[in-house]
Amino acid sequence: MRAMSKGVLGAALAAFVVLGAGTAAGATGEGTGGAGGDAAAGAVAGAAAAEADLAHHGHVSLWDGRVGVWLVTENHGPSDVADATVRLAFSVPMAGGQELPPGCLWSSARVVSCRTGALTGGGAAGELALDLRTVGTPQELTVDVSTAWRVGGVDRNPFNDRHRVLVLATGDPYVF
């Protein structure tokens, strides 16, 4: 049953990412013909004008082949975001067979994607905590943190939701 629920969660997150990519690519309703097509384009353009400002902050630690990630996603607003996905890409592969928290899935051996859920303007999602094992015991790695997808307003300040963190195998927290 657990494998089945993971499969359903994975399919749902994959669908969200695909749908979000179509929306972010600027689907405007063109080609629907007539005045209705223009109205649809205007409605979508108006909806896209709402502004949300996502930001990811936290820290990453590396020790003895283990990686700890603690992350909070915030929406500095002003508009609400119905849902978002944060993507964590590691420079080294992670060991297989590791369980992830609910709402997260493996995109590859180096990438984890996690849903944030709804974010109100000026609100934050709960803390995400990952405890992962690497393949081998690297002396360092990098983690790229970014918003992979969101449903809601346009983010005109994408710099605070993209981070590249160099993490040395000291056990110290590297803050982003």
Side-chain angles (χ1 to χ4, degrees), residues 118-165:
L119 295 162
T120 60
E127 183 176 286
L128 170 65
L130 298 174
D131 181 12
L132 304 172
R133 291 181 324 277
T134 62
V135 171
T137 53
Q139 294 302 304
E140 67 181 36
L141 60 78
T142 58
V143 182
D144 290 323
V145 180
S146 62
T147 300
W149 169 80
R150 75 181 159 282
V151 175
V154 173
D155 191 342
R156 290 186 175 87
N157 180 18
F159 301 108
N160 60 353
D161 69 336
R162 294 182 193 151
H163 306 282
R164 174 169 279 168
V165 185

Side-chain angles (χ1 to χ4, degrees), residues 49-154:
E51 185 172 351
D53 181 18
L54 297 187
H56 307 294
H57 300 289
H59 65 274
V60 183
S61 297
L62 175 63
W63 70 99
D64 297 328
R66 297 195 74 81
V67 178
V69 179
W70 295 269
L71 168 85
V72 173
T73 299
E74 299 172 307
N75 177 7
H76 296 291
S79 300
D80 295 348
V81 173
D83 200 1
T85 301
V86 61
R87 180 180 182 266
L88 305 165
F90 302 93
S91 63
V92 300
M94 298 295 121
Q98 298 182 72
E99 294 231 8
L100 295 173
C104 294
L105 61 82
W106 290 102
S107 298
S108 74
R110 295 176 189 237
V111 178
V112 175
S113 299
C114 298
R115 288 184 61 206
T116 65
L119 295 162
T120 60
E127 183 176 286
L128 170 65
L130 298 174
D131 181 12
L132 304 172
R133 291 181 324 277
T134 62
V135 171
T137 53
Q139 294 302 304
E140 67 181 36
L141 60 78
T142 58
V143 182
D144 290 323
V145 180
S146 62
T147 300
W149 169 80
R150 75 181 159 282
V151 175
V154 173

Side-chain angles (χ1 to χ4, degrees), residues 9-30:
L9 176 63
L13 280 174
F16 282 138
V17 170
V18 170
L19 288 174
T23 302
T28 62
E30 292 180 28

